[in-house]
């Protein structure tokens, strides 16, 4: 069995990893998935999230977009990163389990005035 984490707002994949409401951890066995647990994103330090998700058994993170620093921390933690994903989290988890999840590397850059710009790599 493997586990994946999905950055979520409600039941949808969050458009931005760092601003998500929660992380849903899904357990995958073959093509069968189930929601294993939910971790609220309340005051979590961005740098601590890869280790936290890995401690919960996650081997991959799925999100809409994320900053380059977060991406590098996940890569340093040997986690699979899937960005450019949208829609329902359960559908994304099922697509990941079926090896049909469509994703692309999408980074966000943040400005001091709190606006952010996202671009495809």
């Amino acid at each position: 069995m493997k586990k994946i984490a999905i950055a979520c707002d409600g039941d949808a994949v969050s458009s931005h990893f760092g601003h998500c409401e929660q992380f849903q951890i899904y357990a995958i066995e073959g093509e069968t998935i189930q929601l294993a647990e939910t971790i609220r994103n309340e005051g979590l330090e961005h740098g601590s999230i890869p280790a936290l998700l890995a401690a919960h058994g996650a081997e991959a993170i799925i999100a809409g977009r994320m900053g380059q620093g977060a991406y590098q921390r996940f890569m340093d933690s040997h986690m699979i990163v899937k960005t450019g994903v949208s829609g329902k989290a359960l559908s994304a988890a099922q697509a990941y389990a079926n090896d049909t999840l469509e994703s692309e590397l999408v980074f966000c850059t943040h400005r001091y005035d709190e606006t952010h710009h996202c671009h495809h790599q």
Side-chain angles (χ1 to χ4, degrees):
M1 176 174 40
K2 60 184 168 185
K3 291 184 179 179
I4 61 169
I6 301 180
C8 294
D9 292 323
D11 64 351
V13 177
S14 178
S15 63
H16 191 287
F17 153 80
H19 297 264
C20 72
E21 296 172 357
Q22 64 204 11
F23 297 96
Q24 292 182 345
I25 308 291
Y26 288 89
I28 300 173
E29 191 158 351
E31 293 185 3
T32 303
I33 61 162
Q34 68 181 42
L35 180 61
E37 64 183 304
T38 300
I39 301 169
R40 301 286 307 161
N41 185 17
E42 297 173 347
L44 296 175
E45 297 270 337
H46 284 77
S48 68
I49 294 173
L52 173 67
L53 297 178
H56 286 267
E59 301 171 10
I61 179 70
I62 296 171
R65 299 178 297 265
M66 73 174 52
Q68 290 182 353
Y71 173 81
Q72 190 59 54
R73 283 188 288 278
F74 279 111
M75 296 303 293
D76 291 345
S77 297
H78 306 288
M79 290 184 74
I80 296 165
V81 178
K82 299 287 187 176
T83 57
V85 179
S86 62
K88 299 289 185 190
L90 182 59
S91 298
Q94 189 65 61
Y96 185 89
N98 297 338
D99 200 27
T100 60
L101 181 67
E102 293 185 23
S103 67
E104 59 183 306
L105 193 54
V106 182
F107 289 127
C108 291
T109 57
H110 299 272
R111 308 279 181 194
Y112 291 108
D113 65 358
E114 293 302 316
T115 62
H116 74 269
H117 306 276
C118 299
H119 60 280
H120 303 271
Q121 187 67 20

